[in-house]
Amino acid sequence: MAAPNGLARIETHGKKTKHDNGVCHDDSATPVRAQTIDELHSLQRKRSAPTTPIKDGAAAGLPFAAALSEEERQKQQLQSISTSLASLTRETGPKVVRGDPARKGEAAAKVAPSPQHHHHHHLHPTISVSDSSLKFTHVLYNLSPAELYEQAIRYEKGSFITSTGALATLSGAKTGRSPRDKRVVKDEAAAQELWWGKGSPNIEMDEHTFLTNRERAVDYLNSLEKVFVNDQFLNWDTENRIKVRIISARAYHSLFMHNMCIRPTEEELESFGTPDFTIYNAGQFPCNRYTHYMTTSTSVDINLARREMVILGTQYAGEMKKGLFGVMHYLMPRRGILSLHSGCNMGNQGDVALFFGLSGTGKTTLSTDHNRLLIGDDEHCWSDSGVSNIEGGCYAKCIDLSQEKEPDIWNAIKFGTVLENVVFDEHTREVDYTDKSVTENTRAAYPIEYIPNAKIPCVGPHPKNVILLACDAFGVLPPVSKLNLAQTMYHFISGYTALVAGTEDGIKEPQATFSACFGAAFIMLHPTRYAAMLAEKMHKYGATGWLVNTGWSGGRYGVGKRIKLPYTRKIIDAIHSGELLTANYKKTEVFGLEIPTEIDGVPSEILDPINTWTDKSAYNETLLKLAGLFKKNFEVFAGYKQMGGDGSLSLTDEIIAAGPNF
């Protein structure tokens, strides 16, 4: 049949026959089951399947979880979050709703029943009712990186996707930690257990002031349309892991902690329950400077009895990471587990090495070894089962980062990674890692599995070698020394390195830096407690201590030269292989260090630093100067006679004798 114009009619609605081969037909399909664009979007997203199979409840150790319906489980979960957000001026928590308030119709019915009791109540103030009790607090719970990207780019100024897929963010006015604004509640128990006074990082506050700040933070979080909640773990040792809940106002903070803590499976979330520790991050809101103990508008407060942390007046994400590390420095030693600020890797034969070192000593460079598995880059526990990483991610410095020098870190900066305070090209979004316009402390936070040779799970056997790194800009410490237990404790407690600082007239002199246990800002107990535990475990499991100088040789900074990295790598290789255990040694003057006479691939003359100095008298003078700085620093620890809590390791006199003698 012809059309009016004389051409053959084209049939567009004829029935499909069994002879249709599917080649010459349009791509018509059944219309979507949606009446609005919102309904269409709801069809676009499907519910995720659990990442691990859900086992029988009893077999999995979950006596009740398997019997709960999905609705009941979500109701309990929301009630737990509501309890966490309870204000001290109200007996009940807010009415929390799961989902983004921008998607009004999605979760309006999923309201948690207000809990009748709050296990944290210490005060019983008059109950007040305000308009805030009439609103819902929308909870964005354990969002994925993709969801958090959307939230950050939509709602947080300064959030961009870089050319490699990382999320670039800004931390606001604070681009680093604020240690002088960190406070710990000094209650009766903390007064007895914690390290207070000269040299201690613990600045006291009372519980009333903590509760005042907590109230300010919780009220701020409850006033927002939505909050982000992360339920995660610390410590890859499942027998000793800690459940943490992070409540924050920014997608950036939620993604940061998603990367830095250990990510639970869907099955583990089913039985997560009440957290062991909770962070209230209200960093966009300042503390009241007229509140007792407050000195600025920033306050980072820890209450060990309540197991809570409150952040006000700083959006720098590192406060959460290091705050939790401080908590682990308190909780783990109480279980007989040593918490350590160190890198950790493992060889093919199962030989584990710990790397301690302050900034600039090469801890990251030397612990990242393509021939060895990375257990972790920063925070670890050493228990009777072996070592375990505390974290689920890495927090790497980015300043002057290059693909040639740090290929693993470079390649880890991709989708899912948080880039803090970096500068990038407005058009290409390519990051300029040399640009310090915002801060020199630019950082990347990424999951540890982004490192190709990461060992998952991040656990290992007992360490064979404990390597203390020092960048000695005075140029008088040997490139490597073998330490006995007392010397290991002395140098561990000292935590020495030397930085190079410039003066106005252009003269640069080395500046000695001491940080107890190579992480004084984070420890809670007296440094000798950690040192005693380290010595006990090294003795029990047969680990050897080493002091490695990655700094100068042949003179101080400006005169000598920095020890070549290939030589330092050869030294580390000789430690790993066991070569240095059978080497010949001689003892140095003043510090009394045992140094090898030769190492394969390393010039023998540099192994004894005096050989590399042309001016021997200048060497002796500088050596005595550094020894004096060590002695002066150690005075604050010398009077601490009781070690290890039970007195089983009272080695204080031995430790003092292990330092420089002149």
Side-chain angles (χ1 to χ4, degrees):
M1 183 177 179
N5 59 9
L7 299 176
R9 183 183 297 276
I10 299 174
E11 297 292 342
T12 58
H13 300 290
K15 289 185 178 180
K16 199 171 182 179
T17 72
K18 63 180 179 179
H19 302 294
D20 188 350
N21 62 11
V23 176
C24 299
H25 65 79
D26 65 1
D27 289 329
S28 61
T30 305
V32 295
R33 304 185 310 276
Q35 301 299 314
T36 67
I37 192 69
D38 285 340
E39 287 183 35
L40 183 60
H41 284 171
S42 72
L43 295 173
Q44 183 183 32
R45 300 182 300 274
K46 67 177 182 179
R47 182 171 177 79
S48 300
T51 53
T52 56
I54 297 179
K55 305 170 187 173
D56 173 72
L62 314 175
F64 303 110
L68 290 176
S69 68
E70 177 62 20
E71 183 179 356
E72 289 171 326
R73 190 191 68 78
Q74 282 202 18
K75 192 176 289 186
Q76 285 191 5
Q77 186 183 75
L78 291 175
Q79 182 169 315
S80 173
I81 295 168
S82 174
T83 302
S84 293
L85 282 165
S87 167
L88 296 173
T89 57
R90 294 185 298 275
E91 286 186 343
T92 61
K95 296 174 182 176
V96 294
V97 179
R98 189 165 178 177
D100 190 342
R103 297 165 181 163
K104 302 279 186 188
E106 285 186 12
K110 299 178 183 176
V111 182
S114 297
Q116 296 304 307
H117 301 285
H118 189 274
H119 68 278
H120 283 322
H121 270 308
H122 288 253
L123 303 178
H124 300 281
T126 303
I127 304 304
S128 63
V129 178
S130 69
D131 286 347
S132 65
S133 64
L134 302 177
K135 67 177 283 294
F136 292 120
T137 299
H138 291 259
V139 172
L140 303 185
Y141 182 74
N142 273 39
L143 296 191
S144 68
E147 293 172 305
L148 291 168
Y149 266 55
E150 292 171 5
Q151 291 290 323
I153 291 166
R154 270 187 185 180
Y155 304 113
E156 295 180 12
K157 195 170 183 179
S159 295
F160 298 89
I161 301 177
T162 67
S163 60
T164 64
L167 180 70
T169 65
L170 293 173
S171 65
K174 298 294 180 71
T175 58
R177 289 182 301 103
S178 303
R180 293 182 182 178
D181 295 314
K182 179 186 166 191
R183 303 283 186 273
V184 181
V185 173
K186 191 175 184 179
D187 55 23
E188 189 175 340
Q192 296 297 318
E193 293 182 280
L194 270 56
W195 178 29
W196 305 98
K198 186 178 179 182
S200 167
N202 301 316
I203 305 172
E204 70 177 89
M205 71 185 306
D206 60 28
E207 184 171 34
H208 182 270
T209 304
F210 175 86
L211 294 176
T212 300
N213 284 350
R214 182 193 186 279
E215 188 81 341
R216 193 172 176 92
V218 168
D219 282 348
Y220 169 74
L221 291 167
N222 286 338
S223 73
L224 302 175
E225 276 199 321
K226 62 190 173 188
V227 295
F228 298 89
V229 176
N230 293 45
D231 280 349
Q232 296 182 259
F233 298 117
L234 297 178
N235 197 355
W236 284 83
D237 174 5
T238 55
E239 294 295 316
N240 292 290
R241 70 183 180 187
I242 301 298
K243 298 186 294 184
V244 293
R245 173 168 291 165
I246 303 101
I247 305 172
S248 55
R250 292 193 61 180
Y252 146 49
H253 289 152
S254 186
L255 180 57
F256 177 89
M257 295 307 283
H258 169 87
N259 290 347
M260 295 311 304
C261 295
I262 299 166
R263 293 158 288 284
T265 64
E266 289 288 332
E267 184 182 25
E268 288 169 332
L269 280 178
E270 293 281 344
S271 58
F272 192 86
T274 303
D276 299 313
F277 199 88
T278 303
I279 294 178
Y280 299 94
N281 189 342
Q284 292 161 291
F285 199 64
C287 70
N288 187 328
R289 285 181 288 175
Y290 293 100
T291 304
H292 192 37
Y293 292 102
M294 299 299 103
T295 54
T296 72
S297 59
T298 296
S299 187
V300 179
D301 308 329
I302 294 176
N303 189 324
L304 294 171
R306 292 177 61 89
R307 300 200 171 192
E308 293 179 338
M309 177 179 177
V310 171
I311 299 174
L312 291 164
T314 174
Q315 297 178 61
Y316 181 64
E319 294 286 9
M320 294 183 288
K321 165 189 160 67
K322 292 303 187 183
L324 287 176
F325 189 32
V327 170
M328 293 295 279
H329 267 310
Y330 171 74
L331 295 177
M332 291 297 103
R334 290 162 62 94
R335 301 185 184 186
I337 298 171
L338 176 59
S339 49
L340 300 164
H341 185 213
S342 71
C344 183
N345 66 22
M346 186 178 80
N348 294 329
Q349 304 302 313
D351 56 301
V352 168
L354 295 173
F355 292 82
F356 296 89
L358 302 178
S359 180
T361 60
K363 181 181 73 169
T364 301
T365 301
L366 295 172
S367 62
T368 304
D369 188 329
H370 289 293
N371 297 315
R372 296 173 66 82
L373 297 174
L374 180 68
I375 292 176
D377 76 325
D378 197 45
E379 302 176 8
H380 293 88
C381 287
W382 188 353
S383 70
D384 289 336
S385 302
V387 291
S388 57
N389 190 351
I390 288 174
E391 300 180 299
C394 302
Y395 194 33
K397 289 183 178 179
C398 290
I399 198 67
D400 296 325
L401 179 69
S402 69
Q403 190 171 12
E404 296 73 28
K405 290 182 180 178
E406 299 286 357
D408 286 345
I409 296 175
W410 179 276
N411 293 328
I413 298 176
K414 57 186 179 181
F415 180 83
T417 297
V418 176
L419 277 176
E420 282 182 328
N421 302 315
V422 298
V423 176
F424 52 83
D425 183 274
E426 185 177 26
H427 174 58
T428 66
R429 296 291 197 264
E430 291 182 358
V431 178
D432 181 356
Y433 292 108
T434 65
D435 197 317
K436 306 174 185 177
S437 298
V438 180
T439 178
E440 189 169 331
N441 188 36
T442 54
R443 295 272 184 164
Y446 48 85
I448 193 166
E449 57 264 29
Y450 281 18
I451 299 296
N453 63 330
K455 184 183 182 300
I456 308 294
C458 303
V459 296
H462 297 291
K464 288 191 174 181
N465 293 294
V466 173
I467 301 169
L468 312 181
L469 301 170
C471 178
D472 178 28
F474 290 93
V476 295
L477 289 183
V480 60
S481 312
K482 186 170 74 170
L483 306 176
N484 60 35
L485 272 183
Q487 287 175 321
T488 302
M489 294 175 78
Y490 181 90
H491 287 279
F492 177 72
I493 293 170
S494 297
Y496 164 74
T497 195
L499 306 176
V500 176
T503 59
E504 289 184 6
D505 61 3
I507 299 173
K508 295 182 178 180
E509 294 287 343
Q511 302 292 320
T513 299
F514 296 93
S515 182
C517 307
F518 293 94
F522 322 120
I523 61 177
M524 288 283 191
L525 312 177
H526 195 279
T528 53
R529 293 280 300 278
Y530 302 101
M533 291 184 72
L534 178 62
E536 183 180 28
K537 291 189 182 299
M538 287 179 66
H539 176 72
K540 184 175 181 179
Y541 300 110
T544 305
W546 307 89
L547 179 63
V548 173
N549 173 24
T550 63
W552 271 255
S553 178
R556 64 169 177 80
Y557 175 84
V559 178
K561 294 181 179 180
R562 190 160 189 182
I563 298 169
K564 293 180 180 179
L565 180 58
Y567 293 159
T568 303
R569 288 198 183 278
K570 288 285 187 183
I571 289 169
I572 298 298
D573 289 344
I575 291 173
H576 291 323
S577 70
E579 177 190 337
L580 287 188
L581 290 176
T582 58
N584 294 319
Y585 286 87
K586 66 177 184 179
K587 202 169 199 175
T588 67
E589 299 293 328
V590 181
F591 277 87
L593 297 170
E594 297 283 342
I595 59 174
T597 55
E598 62 177 312
I599 300 173
D600 187 36
V602 181
S604 297
E605 60 271 16
I606 75 168
L607 296 177
D608 189 344
I610 193 171
N611 295 335
T612 64
W613 283 62
T614 304
D615 188 339
K616 308 300 183 187
S617 62
Y619 166 80
N620 288 319
E621 181 182 338
T622 307
L623 179 65
L624 291 173
K625 179 180 180 181
L626 180 60
L629 294 173
F630 264 86
K631 274 190 171 290
K632 184 177 180 181
N633 171 72
F634 212 80
E635 287 173 1
V636 72
F637 311 114
Y640 193 79
K641 295 294 182 184
Q642 191 76 6
M643 303 196 58
D646 59 358
S648 59
L649 283 169
S650 299
L651 300 178
T652 306
D653 293 337
E654 271 188 71
I655 297 171
I656 294 171
N661 291 289
F662 57 100

